[in-house]
Amino acid sequence: MSAAGLSTAAAATDIVLLHGWGLTPAVWAPMRSLLGGRRSSAPALPGHAGAAAANAATLAAWSEHLAARLAPAATLVGWSLGAMLALDLAHRYPARVARLVLIGGTARFVADDASPAAWPGLAPATVEAFRSGFARDPHATLKRFVALQCLGEADRRCVQTQLGAALTALDIGEQGDEHRDAHISPPAAPTRAVTPTDRAPVALADGLALLAGSDLRATLAQIEQPCLLIHGEHDALMPVAAARAMAHALPASRLEILQGSGHALPLSRSADCARLIAEFWDA
């Protein structure tokens, strides 16, 4: 089944996997091969891997874009930004999401130390540096983001290579529709600023804005679907403390912490993720 989007064939799909920022559905390939024949699809996020953009640069618009292609009663698996979208989809479209799996997820990407409901995350200055850096040099920022995802992984070099091969291409001509399922490594390109004529850089800049500005903490108690959280012990992007806080707030949740791992669990711990998802799906 094509991973580029959820077509009419998605009516037969049971597991839907949403990838993270700057990546493509190719990042799910190792894990999907281990799901034991269970039906799955992996749509590209808006503006990623050649997919159409959402109508607006908001979490609601990105969720609406995906919900329109989502078959009812899916088991929705999200990683990183995909986990935030999965949470939002479960809240906005509960009839379309029967079960929820959040891998390396959080309800708020940016740390909040100012309010009584403090939340662990990346420092606001670090997040803003990513956004401004992406505007100046998208390729260098993607490379830095990949390196950060690999922190805490036992085989960092191998995981970094795999992530690099699954990145969304930033330049026109780097990839066409036929590559949406392929492992793609973006070629070197001269540094340039993001312009509105380049769909992928604009969509990725919007994705960073979603990560920086989204706060789903208030919705957690309203998500009634069974939820499995899978998190790396040494995740440097989404601290494990955030996963523990979500597990406490979600009404029907279970947290599995994978020891000795970081953020890139679909690649570094694909067998463990597939096993946990299969057990959750079969229950």
Side-chain angles (χ1 to χ4, degrees), residues 134 137-144 170-171 174 186-190 192:
F134 188 81
D137 191 339
H139 287 87
T141 303
L142 265 180
K143 184 176 180 180
R144 182 184 172 202
L170 287 170
D171 295 316
E174 277 188 35
R192 59 174 177 78

Side-chain angles (χ1 to χ4, degrees), residues 128-223:
E128 286 308 308
F130 267 112
R131 294 183 66 188
S132 59
F134 188 81
R136 293 191 304 272
D137 191 339
H139 287 87
T141 303
L142 265 180
K143 184 176 180 180
R144 182 184 172 202
F145 200 76
V146 164
L148 192 57
Q149 293 186 60
C150 295
L151 293 178
E153 301 293 359
D155 192 349
R156 190 183 304 181
R157 180 173 296 181
C158 177
V159 173
Q160 188 161 344
T161 298
Q162 290 177 291
L163 280 171
L167 286 174
T168 283
L170 287 170
D171 295 316
I172 296 173
E174 277 188 35
Q175 71 182 33
D177 290 348
E178 70 276 12
H179 294 304
R180 292 183 188 178
D181 275 315
H183 291 270
I184 303 160
S185 182
T191 298
R192 59 174 177 78
V194 173
T195 65
T197 57
D198 298 325
R199 181 168 64 187
V202 170
L204 267 63
D206 290 345
L208 280 178
L210 297 187
L211 284 170
S214 298
D215 189 344
L216 300 176
R217 290 177 292 178
T219 69
L220 294 176
Q222 303 168 39
I223 294 175

Side-chain angles (χ1 to χ4, degrees), residues 20 42 45 78 81 84 116 120 129 138 162 180 208 217 220 253-254 261:
L45 298 188
L81 174 58
M84 295 192 82
Q162 290 177 291
R180 292 183 188 178
L208 280 178
R217 290 177 292 178
L220 294 176
S253 67
R254 181 175 108 241
S261 293

Side-chain angles (χ1 to χ4, degrees), residues 14-50:
D14 295 302
I15 301 173
V16 180
L17 304 109
L18 303 178
H19 62 81
W21 178 81
L23 291 156
T24 68
V27 78
W28 295 114
M31 205 181 79
R32 291 180 74 187
S33 70
L34 299 169
L35 286 174
R38 294 168 183 82
R39 293 171 297 189
S40 67
S41 68
L45 298 188
H48 290 63

Side-chain angles (χ1 to χ4, degrees), residues 22-146:
L23 291 156
T24 68
V27 78
W28 295 114
M31 205 181 79
R32 291 180 74 187
S33 70
L34 299 169
L35 286 174
R38 294 168 183 82
R39 293 171 297 189
S40 67
S41 68
L45 298 188
H48 290 63
N55 292 329
T58 65
L59 195 66
W62 281 44
S63 290
E64 181 182 21
H65 178 94
L66 292 165
R69 298 156 177 81
L70 191 63
T75 294
L76 193 55
V77 180
W79 172 48
S80 201
L81 174 58
M84 295 192 82
L85 286 162
L87 270 173
D88 195 57
L89 282 160
H91 178 247
R92 294 177 188 274
Y93 307 97
R96 293 186 174 271
V97 181
R99 286 167 290 196
L100 197 58
V101 180
L102 307 178
I103 302 176
T106 185
R108 178 186 166 105
F109 186 58
V110 182
D112 177 16
D113 298 324
S115 73
W119 191 264
L122 283 188
T126 300
V127 177
E128 286 308 308
F130 267 112
R131 294 183 66 188
S132 59
F134 188 81
R136 293 191 304 272
D137 191 339
H139 287 87
T141 303
L142 265 180
K143 184 176 180 180
R144 182 184 172 202
F145 200 76
V146 164

